[in-house]
Amino acid sequence: MSVIVLLIGISLLVAVGFLIAFVIAVRKGQYKDTHTPAIRVLFDNETEEEKKKINNSESK
C-alpha cells in the first residue's frame, strides 16, 4: 500500500513539473506563432536547392 502512495506522489511531482514547463513556454511565446512552422516545412527543400544552386554557381 505504501508503494501506491509513493507512486502517486512521484506522478504528482512529474505532473507539476510538466505544468510549470508548459506555463514557462507559454509566457515566453512558444505558442504565439502557430501558422509559420507549418509553412516553413514546405519551403525547406526549396532553400536547400537554392543553396546548391548558389554553391554550384560559385564553384564554376
Side-chain angles (χ1 to χ4, degrees):
M1 186 70 178
S2 63
V3 172
I4 292 175
V5 173
L6 180 68
L7 289 176
I8 289 173
I10 291 171
S11 65
L12 286 175
L13 284 175
V14 170
V16 168
F18 279 113
L19 180 65
I20 290 171
F22 176 73
V23 169
I24 289 171
V26 168
R27 286 189 178 183
K28 287 188 176 187
Q30 294 277 327
Y31 298 105
K32 279 187 177 180
D33 187 15
T34 58
H35 184 69
T36 304
I39 293 174
R40 191 179 320 146
V41 171
L42 298 174
F43 295 110
D44 278 345
N45 291 337
E46 291 182 10
T47 57
E48 289 184 18
E49 290 177 5
E50 291 175 358
K51 288 179 184 177
K52 289 178 184 175
K53 288 180 183 177
I54 291 171
N55 287 336
N56 287 338
S57 65
E58 289 178 356
S59 65
K60 288 182 181 177

